[in-house]
Amino acid sequence: MDAPTRTPSSRRTFLGRLPLPERNYLADALRTETVGGVILLVAAIAALLWANTFGSSYDAVSDLHFGPGFLGLNLSVEHWAADGLLAIFFFVAGVELKRELVAGELRDPRAAALPVVAALCGMAVPAVVYTLVAVTGGGSTDGWAVPTATDIAFALAVLAVIGTSLPNALRAFLLTLAVVDDLFAILIIAVFFTEEINFIALIGAFIGLTVFYLLLRLDVRGWYIYVPLAMVIWGLMYNSGIHATIAGVAMGLMLRCTRRDGETQSPGEHIEHLIRPLSAGVAVPLFALFSAGVSLSGGALAHVFTRPETLGVVLGLVVGKTVGIFGGTWLATRFTKAELNKDLAWADVFAVASLAGIGFTVSLLIGELAFVGDKDTINEIKAAVLIGSLTAALVSGVLLKLRVRKYRMLHEAEELDEDEDGVPDIYEQDDPEYHLRMAAIHEKKAAEHRRLAQLAGAASSKPDSPA
């Protein structure tokens, strides 16, 4: 018996059309993130203006302490934003990651290989770039993790500003990169930025997480149960010495993200749908407001391209991210023998890779953790993150604009719904009912044109009609 021959069509397509449920989820998630990204952009600009016009009031508000001191939670406003509000952001990231693993792009190991390899290379290469620059210039290597993360909200805000409608496959690829980025950023924070551990508090946090998990598995409902419990877990995690945002991720990963019979949404998808606007529209912008306030009068900008630490951050974001993601993607496709979508080109992958160099929220957070206690260096690292992210945004904006006509054509084709049934036509080509509906629509149009032709003919046959 002859062995089956491998035909070109049997090769997996990279950046091919998304399944309809994935396309719908992506559209909903990115719509919220885009709006949140614009709010984030406004918050970052407001922080810069506030810090450089009324710097004393900015510092006073940022350093204002409140909270129950007897619980070890008498924190500054800036601290509450970084440890408290970002826990909401990482909770959403945890749910997003869980969904990707069980129902999204990462559920199939073969399909997951490409974005995971790309994301890992997109984190490793910036770290190497930073380290090389720091070592060569005689600077500190403590900030190696600063340029490793991608800020999906800021990246989508850039897309909204420049008016580029990326095809769904490219948008999904960018989102998956950011999800994997978030996962490894969480691991970096947990492993490399934990100095002392309070084991009693840590055990208490684990007990709280166990109760949280059991309540979920018993299908116990009610926000009034989970919100207080989540706050207790967060407080214990904070006092344990491990960064409190880890609690958010852990709880997010525990939610069920698979649908049972009769469910239109899994509990994880439902809760993410409710919490994502709070994360993207409130938590992250408030963090930016109290973290992006770089004082430019102290020479922070002047030192960005002279200090090895800050130069390493800029080059890591702009060069490291682009080279890492593009190179990792190209190598992964070569080894997995995947075919690039025939409607796209490698220039499109390169443009998205450069867009991933926008590393704002998590980069600012890691910068504060890496140089804790050194306010001047933190200020300059923040300036470097801002300049690196802005440069990456400009570069990617130019690259994406070069292909904007192609993107719009592909996007319009993906969203076309001529029969107006709420499902894009491209997903209904194998449905006989769709073709019958379209036949009826065209027959109706044809009948109208025949009627108009008769009217035009009757008008032209009148004696006073123009020759």
Side-chain angles (χ1 to χ4, degrees), residues 347-395:
D348 302 315
V349 180
F350 189 86
V352 170
S354 65
L355 184 65
I358 301 174
F360 187 74
T361 305
V362 179
S363 292
L364 291 176
L365 175 62
I366 294 178
E368 292 180 356
L369 297 174
F371 298 98
V372 63
D374 189 346
K375 193 168 184 178
D376 290 338
T377 300
I378 289 175
N379 195 57
E380 292 174 2
I381 289 292
K382 288 181 177 180
V385 170
L386 292 174
I387 290 176
S389 298
L390 179 60
T391 304
L394 292 172
V395 171

Side-chain angles (χ1 to χ4, degrees), residues 101-175:
L101 288 170
V102 301
E105 290 293 295
L106 302 180
R107 71 187 184 280
D108 179 0
R110 291 182 303 170
L114 276 166
V116 169
V117 169
L120 286 174
C121 292
M123 298 187 80
V125 176
V128 170
V129 169
Y130 174 94
T131 303
L132 288 174
V133 173
V135 170
T136 303
S140 171
T141 58
D142 291 346
W144 63 270
V146 174
T148 58
T150 294
D151 192 308
I152 184 65
F154 228 133
L156 292 172
V158 170
L159 291 178
V161 169
I162 65 177
T164 299
S165 297
L166 283 182
N168 286 328
L170 283 174
R171 290 156 67 89
F173 182 58
L174 180 62
L175 180 62

Side-chain angles (χ1 to χ4, degrees), residues 69-117:
F70 65 96
L71 294 177
L73 295 174
N74 184 27
L75 310 178
S76 67
V77 170
E78 183 180 3
H79 212 161
W80 276 112
D83 288 83
L85 292 177
L86 276 195
I88 300 173
F89 166 79
F90 278 109
F91 172 79
V92 173
V95 179
E96 203 169 53
L97 176 63
K98 177 68 173 291
R99 188 199 166 277
E100 287 290 323
L101 288 170
V102 301
E105 290 293 295
L106 302 180
R107 71 187 184 280
D108 179 0
R110 291 182 303 170
L114 276 166
V116 169
V117 169

